[in-house]
Amino acid sequence: MVTKINKNIIKALAVCTGFFSLASCREHSVTPTSGLVPEVDNIHTFAMNTGDFTIQLHNRLSDSIITSTYYLTGSTNVSAIGLGTYVDPFFGRTTASAYLQVTPYKSGFAFPSGSIMDSAVLVFPYLSGTTGAKSYGDTTKALHLNVYRTTSKVEVSGTYYSSSVLPTEATPIGSGTIPFTNYKSSSKIATATKDTLTAQLRLKLNNSFAQEIRNADTANFLNTTAFQEYLKGLYITPDLTQAGGLLSYFLIPSVSSGDQKNLAAARLEFYYHTADTVLMSSFPLKTDVCGYFTNYNRNYTGYPAANYLNKNSDSVLIQSEPGFATEVTITGLMNIPLAVINKAEMVFTAVNLASPDNIFTPIDVLTPVLMENGQEMPLYEVVDNNGNTNSSGSLFVNPYAQKRTIAGIEYTQYRINIPRTLQHARIEGKNAVTIRLRGSKNYPGMFRVLAPGIGAGGETNFQFNLIYTKQQQ
């Protein structure tokens, strides 16, 4: 029970810890090695570590995230889909398949009378760079893709998840093998337009599909609604009979105006000719009227990760969502005196994979959250004393991957700092706190962390370090 005297101390500490935490946030954004944490002197400032607490690691599974409103990290309003498959030696197979819709570039579209259809090509832009698309896995490999028509509409107003599926026809309307180098940087000349096309995945569809579109009743092209009742959607999925080994994101830029070419858009291209000319028309994916989403499937069967599903272990297992997350429960907070907690840092080090599996790299940024009554809550570090989002908080928590050399070997390490969250738990008289360490939604289906737990021994094991300062009388 909290006594009347202790309540006064708690009020003082609550103000103090708010000051220390937020001051540290501001300082960390300028000087990461700030001196705001005092030296341990065992007179006023004391240290506690892993052995002073009971720490339990529990592996969870997040099986679904919204992918119908996914924006590529670092880009402004640039949507993206994922395509591909790879097999991680620990986490098993990940497969990304996309559903999407297109529309004629203008209402009342019609192929010229007497024109002859030559081909149809499905196109997705791919832009390399910090604000462009990304790939994960073995970039010496290719994407082996099949394309199907859906039998229900991909709704622009629908909310779709990484676990969502739609029914499709049994027979593909196109198949192709596209090496990574073909869509990363290669240039092609579109003979119908004389344009040079670069950084695009281009998958030719069956001639029978192209001819069907050419011969369709003109009523199907009157407007977007009519066309999407006719062609309800497209499903692009990896051919799992092929080796695979690569997952890539492709851009869906916003397209607002009608353009027969629309060479920057994700689109269907139709090439056709008349007696005296060669033509191309584009049916783009316009995000204001066309739905899209990606299904990310994780299959752990037959791989080590299957033995860790929804149970305690002595390992930290994290995937970019959807996938594994690890909950860290720290018990023994009442052993901490009522004092200012200056640092409360969880440290864990990712296992290095040997070649050729070292292509499965760790996550750049984690998303630690506080668990209360089974619900995710923001850490106290990322909100200010008024409950508003504190933009500097994530810098103070420091959920970023860092390189560290241990015994002459370079590792990826994480040092998650949560003093304010523990301070609040201690003030409220709680003896335990649970922090969920999960991957971000920034790069669904890509990246992972496999780190040893407490019992591993050595400098690469899981550690918890806490420093507190007693209030002087």
Side-chain angles (χ1 to χ4, degrees):
M1 179 178 292
V2 179
T3 66
K4 190 171 184 179
I5 295 175
N6 280 344
K7 285 181 179 179
N8 292 329
I9 296 174
I10 289 171
K11 288 175 67 177
L13 289 175
V15 173
C16 193
T17 188
F19 167 76
F20 269 84
S21 294
L22 294 179
S24 297
C25 288
R26 290 191 292 271
E27 181 67 19
H28 188 86
S29 65
V30 178
T31 310
T33 56
S34 70
L36 291 177
V37 177
E39 294 292 330
V40 174
D41 58 14
N42 291 320
I43 299 173
H44 303 295
T45 302
F46 302 83
M48 301 177 74
N49 55 43
T50 312
D52 297 310
F53 302 90
T54 299
I55 299 177
Q56 185 179 70
L57 307 179
H58 188 92
N59 308 124
R60 297 284 185 188
L61 192 62
S62 167
D63 64 354
S64 199
I65 59 173
I66 295 174
T67 59
S68 50
T69 53
Y70 171 63
Y71 294 106
L72 193 67
T73 298
S75 298
T76 302
N77 295 330
V78 177
S79 308
I81 58 169
L83 289 172
T85 185
Y86 64 87
V87 176
D88 182 296
F90 187 90
F91 289 100
R93 181 179 288 277
T94 294
T95 303
S97 306
Y99 295 83
L100 54 88
Q101 183 58 275
V102 296
T103 184
Y105 73 91
K106 67 175 183 178
S107 297
F109 170 82
F111 292 102
S113 177
S115 62
I116 298 174
M117 179 63 70
D118 296 313
S119 62
V121 182
L122 183 61
V123 184
F124 297 115
Y126 182 91
L127 176 64
S128 300
T130 56
T131 60
K134 285 188 177 291
S135 290
Y136 182 71
D138 188 348
T139 54
T140 68
K141 302 292 186 181
L143 296 184
H144 307 276
L145 301 173
N146 292 326
V147 184
Y148 299 83
R149 295 174 66 153
T150 66
T151 56
S152 62
K153 281 180 65 175
V154 183
E155 301 284 358
V156 66
S157 59
T159 299
Y160 296 102
Y161 294 81
S162 57
S163 57
S164 297
V165 295
L166 295 177
T168 67
E169 294 180 351
T171 304
I173 60 171
S175 300
T177 295
I178 304 97
F180 174 72
T181 53
N182 277 23
Y183 59 80
K184 180 186 178 183
S185 58
S186 64
S187 299
K188 294 183 181 296
I189 303 295
T191 56
T193 65
K194 307 304 182 185
D195 290 292
T196 301
L197 308 174
T198 60
Q200 296 183 345
L201 182 148
R202 302 180 60 81
L203 196 158
K204 185 178 179 180
L205 303 182
N206 297 344
N207 287 337
S208 58
F209 171 76
Q211 295 299 332
E212 179 191 334
I213 299 296
R214 169 64 186 87
N215 297 329
D217 192 303
T218 55
N220 293 318
F221 304 101
L222 288 177
N223 50 44
T224 294
T225 300
F227 182 76
Q228 293 181 354
E229 286 297 330
Y230 168 62
L231 182 63
K232 300 181 184 300
L234 298 173
Y235 172 58
I236 306 96
T237 187
D239 182 351
L240 298 185
T241 66
Q242 303 294 323
L246 178 66
L247 190 158
S248 296
Y249 299 138
F250 296 91
L251 308 180
I252 304 177
S254 177
V255 180
S256 58
S257 60
D259 181 348
Q260 184 173 354
K261 294 191 298 184
N262 271 316
L263 296 180
R267 61 199 183 272
L268 267 178
E269 290 179 348
F270 292 97
Y271 291 86
Y272 49 98
H273 69 275
T274 62
D276 56 1
T277 188
V278 178
L279 299 166
M280 186 272 276
S281 290
S282 172
F283 287 23
L285 193 168
K286 296 183 179 181
T287 54
D288 58 336
V289 294
C290 299
Y292 73 94
F293 69 96
T294 304
N295 174 285
Y296 291 97
N297 178 266
R298 305 279 203 182
N299 187 346
Y300 306 105
T301 304
Y303 289 88
N307 299 319
Y308 293 80
L309 287 170
N310 297 316
K311 62 178 64 173
N312 295 341
S313 77
D314 196 32
S315 298
V316 177
L317 307 177
I318 309 172
Q319 294 175 288
S320 293
E321 295 203 324
F324 268 90
T326 294
E327 292 180 359
V328 182
T329 300
I330 303 169
T331 303
L333 303 187
M334 296 305 289
N335 296 330
I336 308 170
L338 283 171
V340 174
I341 299 177
N342 309 109
K343 181 175 80 169
E345 189 176 64
M346 293 182 286
V347 182
F348 50 99
T349 305
V351 171
N352 285 344
L353 296 180
S355 179
D357 294 326
N358 56 3
I359 57 175
F360 301 116
T361 51
I363 302 170
D364 286 340
V365 185
L366 299 180
T367 304
V369 293
L370 174 65
M371 298 302 299
E372 290 189 346
N373 300 317
Q375 300 296 315
E376 291 188 357
M377 305 291 291
L379 298 173
Y380 281 96
E381 285 75 11
V382 301
V383 294
D384 63 22
N385 291 330
N386 296 317
N388 300 316
T389 300
N390 169 26
S391 59
S392 298
S394 61
L395 293 173
F396 182 58
V397 174
N398 191 29
Y400 311 103
Q402 306 168 54
K403 295 299 181 183
R404 185 180 175 195
T405 299
I406 300 174
I409 301 173
E410 185 177 80
Y411 291 90
T412 299
Q413 191 174 80
Y414 303 85
R415 309 179 75 89
I416 310 296
N417 192 28
I418 52 169
R420 198 177 188 207
T421 295
L422 261 66
Q423 188 83 76
H424 275 261
R426 177 64 183 87
I427 288 172
E428 293 170 358
K430 296 178 180 177
N431 193 44
V433 67
T434 297
I435 305 298
R436 178 175 288 174
L437 303 172
R438 60 173 173 81
S440 69
K441 298 179 175 66
N442 292 347
Y443 300 112
M446 296 186 181
F447 307 106
R448 41 93 105 191
V449 174
L450 171 60
I454 298 167
E459 290 187 68
T460 61
N461 66 326
F462 184 97
Q463 302 169 46
F464 180 63
N465 304 310
L466 185 142
I467 295 176
Y468 65 90
T469 299
K470 287 185 176 179
Q471 187 180 28
Q472 297 187 29
Q473 301 298 321

